[in-house]
Amino acid sequence: MQTYAYGFPRLGKNREYKKIIENYWKGRSSEDELQMNINWLDKERLSTYKEYVDKFPVGEMTLYCNMLDTAIMVGLYDCKDLHGYYSLCRGKNALKLTKWFNTNYHYLVPEFAGFSPSNFTMRWNKPKEALQAHKKGIPYLIGPFTFLKLSKGIPERRFGDYLFNLIDVYKEIIRDFDEVHIDEPAFVTDISEKDIKFIKDAYKRLDTGNICLFTYYDSVDFLNVLYELPVKAIGLDFLSSEGNLKYIEKHGFVSDKYLIAGIVDGRNVWKTDIEWATNRLKHISKFSRNLVVSNSSPLYHLPITIEGEKLHRRLLKRLAFAKERLYELKLVASCLEGDYNEDYNAVVDDFGMNKKVRVCVKNLSPRDFEKEIPYPERATRQKKLLSFSLFPTTTIGSFPQTKEIREKRKDFKRGDISKEEYNSFIREKICDVIRFQEDSGLDVLVHGEFERTDMVEFFALKLRGIATTKNGWIISYGTRGYRPPIIYGDISRPKSMSVDEITFAQSLTKKPVKAILTGPITMIAWSFVREDVPIREVAYQIALCLKDEIKDLERSGIRIIQIDEPAFRERAPIKRRNWNEYFDWAIKSFRLASKSNPETQIHTHMCYSEFGEIIDEIKELDFDVISIEATRSKGDIIRYFKERGFNRQIGLGVWDVHSPDVPTVEEMKKIIKKAMKFIPKENLWINPDCGLKTRGWKEVVPAIENMVKAAKALRDELH
Ligand code: GLN
Ligand code: ZN
């Protein structure tokens, strides 16, 4: 049986990708050097594939984003050089970044406004170039349907025109190859009959006979149509849901195509049960004689390798990252030929198990998810205690993580400075930021999150049952990586996690300091999560830890607590029919965590996602205040909140923190005035779109100043 792998991470074992590109940005290397180094890195990648599997794509490497590369390839953008390329990726004229399906990987959104479908032309034959890197590889492309669906600015009624014109360009690009790898993950979304027809007609025109078509992240609801397409092979995900298997069991598979069966996990880190996978493949082979074994989704959702990780022995032996997945493919293939390897076992034993935690979750009753006092009454009580004027101003939590802070953290980790020294440094920073916020006239202060590297990893380090890695980086967007923690056991909180810093901050000021916690859904979405218990239980375990944390904070005199849930929308399943189940546990976990004193004002924060479609679910969270990003839509997003009868307080984001530009007072006022059309002014707060950790003080100072001015000006105008 042949093995095929794709999506192997481009980051490099020691994050070489980041270094190579950022060096160029900093002017430390030339365009040629960048190219040379990236080619070297890609060679390394390809040789890893080659070591383990029979086939793999070439040309997956990109200098920033494959969606952008596709756009350039087909003539949407004209980039003369790397400078032009990177100006589309970052800086003032950058394209918008958005999450790729339901993952935390982001892509640049191609903008079609002003581009006519007749303008498509082949500007660049990237696959042909890529083939030079490895003669035996299969050229890689994002499929035309997925590419257009994820772009913006294409009028719905003209989608077909764009697609068919684009197809002609694709044909030109791919016709000379023996085989091409085409990714169409958009095929697993909820697709209309009209779109199915487009797909059918488009691919019929693309009858080059050499296409290996890949779908992943979920099952395809119109496999019957895929069967009819003139493609050579179809890649299906057999892990994320049962849909594909069920269809094949019922209707079989087509005899004239290869079935590329995704059976080792591209999205989670648990070792494959080789025996199970082998049996599953044997079962699938009853329906298709031409079977190839593969990963279930691209491997770039995983870190490169477990080699060198210093995790507990009993945990380490459960794990497989990207390189280990390649090995598993090899193992499964040889197992199918009757060659068993006894040493490679996916064991789940009682390591990390905590009976007490399980009992707590088991004993939860409906009351644990309900607030005792409804919002209107809570709001009245809180108002009495907090007595803000109109348009209270606040921030989302983090303040600039400067070079100085990062250096100090490194010193501390290396053991160059003591814990006491590090802590007193953090305290100094807290003092500074409290003074700054008081001087600026902000109403609700924060402690700045200087002690946190990452909002998920920070809490993961403090909780039992969650491990963090040394080098388990994955790309979030561009060159930016993060290390998802690994939730492997029952989760408990040995001691308070945030109380020290926050109560210290509160001791410095009479104004309320808002405590910032990361919510259960975001903890889960940005970690690798165990699969031996239902995800709902994992969420409740985290929620119970947060609930205890909130109690501790309340006891220490904290009156405002924000639970960040930026991944609330992203974590939702791709198919709507699975939403109810997800939102049920997602909402309940938030409610469980936030069942606090009615006098404690509970905030939540969400940003950079499509809220329009989930306002009803957001309402169910039963918080008191939500802060959201509103700058890009210039406040228009609030319209949806009104439409759905939202009656809580909203903190409007009036400053896009991804941009280095400082917004003016007028710009901010405009957003607030727009929002006032939809939401009573008494319910509006003012804040930046998100945390300020990636910004510099030179923007933060004037922007916060303008924010406070905007609030004051509006108060004056209204009195
Ligand atoms: N409290 C976090 C911060 O201010 C929120 C980050 C986020 O929403 N992604 O950085
Ligand atoms: Zn945010």
Side-chain angles (χ1 to χ4, degrees), residues 449 452 454-460 463 497-498 515-527 542-543 545-546 549-550 561-567 590 593 604-605 693:
E449 301 185 23
R452 308 180 185 180
D454 171 290
M455 62 189 287
V456 170
E457 195 181 51
F458 173 78
F459 290 100
L463 291 166
M497 306 182 281
S498 64
I516 313 284
L517 306 172
T518 302
I521 305 143
T522 302
M523 288 296 293
I524 283 178
W526 296 350
S527 300
I542 301 173
C545 295
L546 290 173
E549 183 73 10
I550 290 173
I561 295 169
Q562 173 177 305
I563 304 174
D564 288 334
E565 283 292 21
F590 186 95
T604 187
H605 165 70
K693 65 173 168 243

Side-chain angles (χ1 to χ4, degrees), residues 275-298:
E275 202 179 320
W276 173 87
T278 313
N279 288 335
R280 185 51 54 114
L281 277 173
K282 275 188 192 152
H283 176 61
I284 297 171
S285 71
K286 284 190 238 156
F287 309 99
S288 164
R289 276 185 300 122
N290 309 316
L291 205 56
V292 177
V293 38
S294 180
N295 38 297
S296 66
S297 67

Side-chain angles (χ1 to χ4, degrees), residues 396 564 566 605-608 689-691:
I396 305 304
D564 288 334
H605 165 70
M606 292 178 194
C607 55
Y608 301 102
D689 278 345
C690 189

Side-chain angles (χ1 to χ4, degrees), residues 360-399:
C360 287
V361 169
K362 218 179 179 161
N363 288 343
L364 289 171
S365 73
R367 276 195 51 214
D368 291 302
F369 304 96
E370 297 294 332
K371 289 221 158 123
E372 261 138 43
I373 294 181
Y375 171 72
E377 166 69 18
R378 294 200 309 263
T380 315
R381 292 197 200 176
Q382 290 161 16
K383 210 171 228 158
K384 255 194 215 142
L385 280 167
L386 294 163
S387 64
F388 296 126
S389 45
L390 223 43
F391 309 119
T393 51
T394 188
T395 58
I396 305 304
S398 61
F399 269 86

